[in-house]
Amino acid sequence: MSFRQLVLLATLLLSFWGHGQECSFSLRGKVQDFHDKSPLVGATLYIPELEVSAITDLNGEYIFEKLCAGNFEIEIMHPECRTLIFPVIITRSDTRDFLMEHHLEKLDEVKVVGSLFTNKTNSGLEEQVSEESLLRNSGASLGDAIKELSGVSSLNTGATIVKPAIHGLNGSRILVLNDGVRMQDMEWGDEHAPNVDVNSAGSISVIKGASALQYGGDAIGGVIVMEQSILPVRDTLYGKTVLNGISNGRGGSISSDLTKIFRDQWFLRVQGSYKRLGDQEAPDYILSNTGIAETASSIQFGRKTLEWGVQARYSFYDAEIAILRASHIGNIDDLIRSINSGEPEIIRPFTYDLQNPRQDVTHHLGKLSFYKRFEGMGKWNVQYDFQQNRRREYDVRRGELNDRASLDLELTTHSLSTDFKWDAAEKYEWQAGLIGRYQVNFPNPATGVRRLIPDYNKTELGGFLTGEYKLKPNWNIDAGIRYDFVNIDATKFYQTSRWEERGYDQEFSDLVVEEIGNQLLTNPVFTYHNFSGTTGLNYSKNNTTFLRFNYALAQRAPNPSELFSDGLHHSAARIELGDLRIKSEISNKFSLSYERRYNTWGFSVEPYANFLKDFIVLEPTGVEFTIRGAFPVWSYRQTDARLLGIDASAYADWHPNWRSEHQISLVKGNDLEQDLALINIPPVNLRNSLNFYKENWQDFEVSLISDLVLRQNEFPPNIVVFSPEQQEDVLLEINSPPAAYHLLGLNSKAEFSLGGFGKLITSVVVNNLLNTTYRDYLNRQRYFADGLGRNVQIQIIVNY
């Protein structure tokens, strides 16, 4: 048989097979909610290979008719569900039901559109950083990325060390949750910024207060939740690269991530970033020794399906941060001269060198998690995470000691947690969880300097129960309780003179293990039992009106710094003294929020009151003479305090292309026992912006931003110190705030299509547009230098 005859025969056979193939099969069934099997109305089912679709009716039922035999995929979409793809094999007419995750808030995928609030609590005050703001701050710190939110400020050490503050509180009172892992990175120091890379997060939310008990009962200030972006269900490969050129510091940053999703829903994501800046500049001079070198990377892989998922993640963060040379005082007279002169004592030519004083911080984070969903019940989670934080602080020292860290701490943490959420019922849901944590702090004795923080082991056990109930269609109520056990077992040397000066010989004589010369070896062991609770109401109607009320009780055990600090904190250039008598602080916070959205404008008002019993304060108390000279002494103490505040915001769409946004934050903090103002309370801040947007101009957008910060008129009294140079007592205005200031900024952005390759986004951001000279009350370097001058950032983002 010739080749032509073979081809003709094959064609005839295929024709007969095609005509004889069964195309009369049907597929029918229901699309239901995974939790309670309720029907999903209006779900779309689509078979790409056949280009046919069906839509579910009021009973959640669908039907495909006249199907041919074969292997296909059905893509199911619903407005309030994550799109899913299911394989099907058609050999006969059949019935098949499909289950979808209808509770998107449980997947943390959706926020209330246009609302200030996210969905991590029912009645707490929450707000999310916009995607544009997150990208705009890709070359900045976590504190910079969130301080545009109302009620959020920052406690700075220069421009590179930024600690978030929420409603006037910072440090150990702010919990940072990084992809489900509570960060353990020595947050107790005023100049210890969170060791996280904002580029590793897909979204960042801020919970203002302790209403989210599942994250911790000691978050008196609030919780910062960094989450990964949601993974699509398709077999795909995508990523983005962000380039930033930064004028002030003459450097920049680069960040890139790549994600691969496989057909069976396994995934792999890698991410890395690098930032390098030299000396930064005030309007009139260089801020010598203020550069930074920062490297971060992460890798994660796993599988996420509707019914179960497993994930492993590792991240690494390393930052070497130079600290303004002029801020490193040698004695109290240096501080007096700095405060009085108004200009840094040391101004050098620009350099990229990172000299002493400086910090070198590394952080390793590993996580392994698993979840399982149970039909008609809920979702079970279990997670183990490991963290190792190494902090080295370098002082200006002589000779070979200059290369040896003055403070060298290594903190290792192991955590194991599990929780279960019952969310199958229509009107209520419950969540219960347990957590255990073990932590070891090791201070390297080879520094040649008395250790500020001692060796200690810390054990934590906790459990929580929370619930939400739908009272009426528009009303929800929530409540929760939590218990935390904390045990700290430390080994510490005290100078006998300090031990007796503090009165410890009378109260803590049983802690002395051994007397060695003029020192005492002690073994302080403290146990804390903390109880927390929350309850609140939430009213929402038509996505236009929102009312929330929340009460939260929170207890926080003192951190090791508040208990054991004893000596010169070289990075802060001050002597810090803890107190063994310090006990848990207790917060009772009441918050209310009302938001209203109209067609072209809207507003929100958020008043709150926080009553704090045994509030722990760190404040300047005097001067102490050492072999290196006289240094200011900052001491911890406890008092009863009150924080009253209000956040308000509004927006108006004046024209399809024009929009304005406005916000104001006010908080007042008082020491009730001494009838004094609390230290480091943010002044009144007003932020306004005018935005222009034109879609057919390549999505062009430009914004003019105004930041007005008023003078903080309520502050604790200054202290009188003895000046060795002047040989007399001198008033040291260490608490006096600087003058009010007004800064202008400019943001612009445009987007360009790269065809099938992806999308290109370009932007220009100018901070301190007019190069205004100012000093910020919450910047610890305000004693020594002005704030940053004009900074121009050019950004290029490639999505592919």
Side-chain angles (χ1 to χ4, degrees):
M1 184 179 292
S2 67
F3 176 75
R4 178 177 298 180
Q5 291 173 320
L6 285 173
V7 172
L8 180 60
L9 179 61
T11 303
L12 289 173
L13 289 174
L14 287 173
S15 177
F16 283 124
W17 179 84
H19 285 292
Q21 184 182 10
E22 287 279 357
C23 287
S24 59
F25 300 138
S26 65
L27 179 67
R28 67 179 67 218
K30 293 182 179 181
V31 179
Q32 299 171 309
D33 174 33
F34 182 88
H35 297 268
D36 56 14
K37 298 296 184 67
S38 60
L40 297 185
V41 181
T44 299
L45 297 88
Y46 178 64
I47 303 178
E49 295 91 340
L50 303 178
E51 296 186 353
V52 295
S53 62
I55 297 177
T56 57
D57 60 19
L58 295 177
N59 297 316
E61 297 179 350
Y62 72 92
I63 183 171
F64 287 102
E65 294 181 317
K66 298 182 180 180
L67 296 180
C68 301
N71 296 343
F72 307 104
E73 288 184 340
I74 294 183
E75 182 177 355
I76 306 180
M77 296 163 283
H78 189 270
E80 299 178 31
C81 296
R82 181 182 181 185
T83 300
L84 297 177
I85 297 175
F86 297 91
V88 294
I89 301 175
I90 304 295
T91 58
R92 57 184 174 83
S93 295
D94 201 356
T95 299
R96 181 168 177 182
D97 295 338
F98 298 100
L99 300 176
M100 300 190 74
E101 174 58 77
H102 186 240
H103 299 264
L104 273 182
E105 66 273 16
K106 311 305 182 293
L107 295 175
D108 297 322
E109 292 189 40
V110 165
K111 314 302 174 189
V112 180
V113 177
S115 172
L116 294 177
F117 304 116
T118 63
N119 297 323
K120 303 185 188 311
T121 70
N122 180 52
S123 60
L125 301 181
E126 307 176 42
E127 199 168 347
Q128 186 181 30
V129 179
S130 67
E131 182 180 358
E132 294 79 7
S133 179
L134 193 57
L135 286 173
R136 187 169 61 245
N137 286 284
S138 66
S141 67
L142 174 64
D144 289 321
I146 67 173
K147 68 181 181 181
E148 295 179 5
L149 303 180
S150 63
V152 179
S153 53
S154 60
L155 184 67
N156 291 30
T157 301
T160 51
I161 302 177
V162 185
K163 290 182 67 67
I166 303 173
H167 285 174
L169 300 174
N170 61 76
S172 296
R173 302 179 183 96
I174 305 295
L175 187 160
V176 178
L177 203 74
N178 184 7
D179 191 25
V181 178
R182 175 170 176 164
M183 295 297 295
Q184 304 287 333
D185 52 3
M186 306 183 199
E187 75 291 335
W188 44 264
D190 282 352
E191 76 292 356
H192 300 177
N195 299 152
V196 295
D197 175 22
V198 295
N199 297 286
S200 67
S203 66
I204 299 179
S205 301
V206 174
I207 302 170
K208 304 170 188 178
S211 56
L213 291 183
Q214 66 268 35
Y215 301 133
D218 56 346
I220 290 176
V223 183
I224 301 170
V225 183
M226 303 175 60
E227 295 179 302
Q228 299 297 298
S229 56
I230 299 300
L231 298 172
V233 296
R234 295 182 178 278
D235 183 355
T236 185
L237 175 68
Y238 64 93
K240 73 174 182 294
T241 296
V242 183
L243 293 169
N244 292 295
I246 302 172
S247 68
N248 200 328
R250 308 180 195 180
S253 68
I254 180 172
S255 173
S256 189
D257 64 76
L258 188 66
T259 302
K260 171 61 180 174
I261 312 294
F262 300 92
R263 290 180 64 86
D264 53 4
Q265 298 189 53
W266 284 91
F267 71 91
L268 173 67
R269 174 181 284 169
V270 293
Q271 179 268 335
S273 61
Y274 177 73
K275 178 168 67 175
R276 186 71 169 93
L277 295 175
D279 289 340
Q280 299 177 73
E281 300 178 40
D284 300 318
Y285 45 77
I286 289 176
L287 301 169
S288 297
N289 199 49
T290 53
I292 182 174
E294 182 180 286
T295 304
S297 61
S298 65
I299 180 171
Q300 58 182 319
F301 63 92
R303 189 184 188 195
K304 288 188 174 182
T305 70
L306 176 63
E307 297 186 359
W308 68 277
V310 62
Q311 177 184 335
R313 184 172 189 262
Y314 167 76
S315 68
F316 171 75
Y317 175 89
D318 177 82
E320 189 173 4
I321 307 169
I323 297 176
L324 181 70
R325 179 63 181 85
S327 70
H328 190 82
I329 60 175
N331 52 56
I332 194 65
D333 284 298
D334 289 346
L335 182 58
I336 294 172
R337 282 192 295 272
S338 296
I339 291 177
N340 293 336
S341 69
E343 187 171 291
E345 296 264 325
I346 300 173
I347 301 177
R348 296 171 177 166
F350 175 87
T351 179
Y352 288 99
D353 294 341
L354 305 176
Q355 303 171 348
N356 295 354
R358 61 187 170 91
Q359 301 178 359
D360 189 356
V361 184
T362 59
H363 192 90
H364 299 269
L365 184 153
K367 164 190 167 182
L368 182 63
S369 61
F370 172 81
Y371 71 83
K372 170 67 176 175
R373 299 180 188 272
F374 297 90
E375 291 185 35
M377 290 183 62
K379 180 182 177 183
W380 173 55
N381 296 284
V382 62
Q383 175 176 298
Y384 165 77
D385 56 81
F386 165 84
Q387 297 179 72
Q388 186 178 75
N389 187 266
R390 180 79 179 274
R391 166 171 287 275
R392 285 169 288 193
E393 298 181 359
Y394 294 85
D395 193 4
V396 178
R397 306 168 78 180
R398 297 177 181 176
E400 296 180 356
L401 291 177
N402 198 53
D403 296 325
R404 186 186 301 179
S406 299
L407 183 145
D408 189 348
L409 300 175
E410 184 175 275
L411 187 69
T412 304
T413 308
H414 301 267
S415 301
L416 180 64
S417 62
T418 184
D419 67 81
F420 194 93
K421 179 176 286 188
W422 292 266
D423 56 4
E426 181 180 356
K427 287 194 173 184
Y428 63 86
E429 68 176 41
W430 297 93
Q431 184 176 5
L434 298 171
I435 184 169
R437 182 176 292 118
Y438 180 71
Q439 188 174 84
V440 177
N441 181 69
F442 174 72
N444 188 346
T447 59
V449 175
R450 183 178 182 81
R451 290 181 286 185
L452 178 69
I453 303 295
D455 296 83
Y456 68 82
N457 299 334
K458 185 177 181 182
T459 304
E460 298 178 66
L461 298 172
F464 71 89
L465 175 66
T466 62
E468 296 180 16
Y469 182 74
K470 189 173 184 178
L471 291 172
K472 294 181 180 180
N474 298 325
W475 287 93
N476 291 320
I477 185 173
D478 70 276
I481 56 172
R482 182 179 176 114
Y483 166 75
D484 288 284
F485 166 88
V486 180
N487 176 267
I488 300 176
D489 187 342
T491 302
K492 178 173 174 57
F493 281 97
Y494 279 94
Q495 292 179 335
T496 303
S497 58
R498 177 82 75 194
W499 184 262
E500 295 174 350
E501 168 198 305
R502 308 287 287 177
Y504 293 161
D505 55 327
Q506 301 296 320
E507 295 186 54
F508 301 106
S509 59
D510 58 319
L511 302 183
V512 177
V513 176
E514 185 179 359
E515 185 173 351
I516 305 173
N518 64 347
Q519 294 192 99
L520 298 174
L521 175 62
T522 67
N523 179 213
V525 180
F526 299 113
T527 298
Y528 305 92
H529 301 274
N530 293 334
F531 295 89
S532 305
T534 183
T535 186
L537 283 168
N538 174 21
Y539 171 83
S540 61
K541 185 177 181 180
N542 300 330
N543 204 30
T544 61
T545 305
F546 305 89
L547 177 66
R548 292 187 176 197
F549 168 77
N550 180 264
Y551 163 71
L553 164 69
Q555 286 188 271
R556 182 183 72 88
N559 64 46
S561 173
E562 295 162 338
L563 291 169
F564 306 123
S565 287
D566 177 27
L568 185 61
H569 192 171
H570 294 265
S571 181
R574 67 191 186 194
I575 293 170
E576 295 180 3
L577 298 179
D579 195 331
L580 297 179
R581 305 174 186 87
I582 286 180
K583 50 191 176 183
S584 293
E585 60 183 8
I586 304 172
S587 164
N588 288 276
K589 184 173 184 178
F590 301 85
S591 62
L592 179 69
S593 65
Y594 178 71
E595 181 183 4
R596 189 68 189 269
R597 298 171 57 224
Y598 299 92
N599 290 334
T600 58
W601 68 285
F603 70 92
S604 71
V605 181
E606 304 174 4
Y608 60 89
N610 197 350
F611 301 92
L612 299 131
K613 180 176 175 55
D614 296 321
F615 182 65
I616 302 172
V617 181
L618 175 63
E619 59 188 5
T621 54
V623 172
E624 187 170 301
F625 294 87
T626 71
I627 58 174
R628 282 195 50 204
F631 285 88
V633 176
W634 289 64
S635 301
Y636 288 98
R637 68 176 177 91
Q638 288 191 285
T639 186
D640 290 342
R642 179 186 63 216
L643 292 171
L644 301 177
I646 186 170
D647 301 329
S649 61
Y651 69 89
D653 294 320
W654 304 97
H655 181 272
N657 302 119
W658 292 93
R659 178 186 177 97
S660 66
E661 298 179 356
H662 318 271
Q663 66 183 46
I664 182 173
S665 295
L666 167 67
V667 58
K668 291 182 175 291
N670 294 97
D671 179 339
L672 299 179
E673 291 185 1
Q674 299 190 13
D675 193 23
L676 297 173
L678 290 175
I679 194 171
N680 289 335
I681 297 299
V684 178
N685 181 286
L686 296 96
R687 183 180 179 88
N688 299 279
S689 66
L690 180 63
N691 313 310
F692 173 80
Y693 174 73
K694 190 74 171 178
E695 183 178 5
N696 56 10
W697 291 0
Q698 303 295 333
D699 286 326
F700 175 74
E701 182 177 348
V702 62
S703 303
L704 181 66
I705 300 103
S706 163
D707 280 307
L708 174 62
V709 179
L710 303 184
R711 184 178 185 270
Q712 176 56 277
N713 293 321
E714 299 180 2
F715 56 94
N718 291 301
I719 60 176
V720 175
V721 300
F722 179 77
S723 167
E725 286 187 2
Q726 302 178 43
Q727 287 296 301
E728 63 179 3
D729 289 336
V730 176
L731 179 66
L732 182 64
E733 294 193 62
I734 198 168
N735 289 327
S736 294
Y741 63 90
H742 180 223
L743 302 181
L744 289 178
L746 184 70
N747 300 337
S748 65
K749 184 184 73 170
E751 300 184 7
F752 305 89
S753 174
L754 298 178
F757 181 73
K759 182 171 62 174
L760 173 69
I761 303 173
T762 62
S763 68
V764 177
V765 178
V766 185
N767 295 318
N768 195 358
L769 180 66
L770 302 181
N771 208 28
T772 302
T773 298
Y774 71 98
R775 299 198 181 196
D776 190 340
Y777 176 64
L778 294 183
N779 193 328
R780 294 178 57 255
Q781 290 184 357
R782 75 178 192 274
Y783 306 128
F784 313 103
D786 295 329
L788 282 185
R790 183 185 298 112
N791 183 29
V792 180
Q793 173 184 286
I794 298 176
Q795 185 179 80
I796 298 175
I797 304 173
V798 181
N799 292 301
Y800 42 84

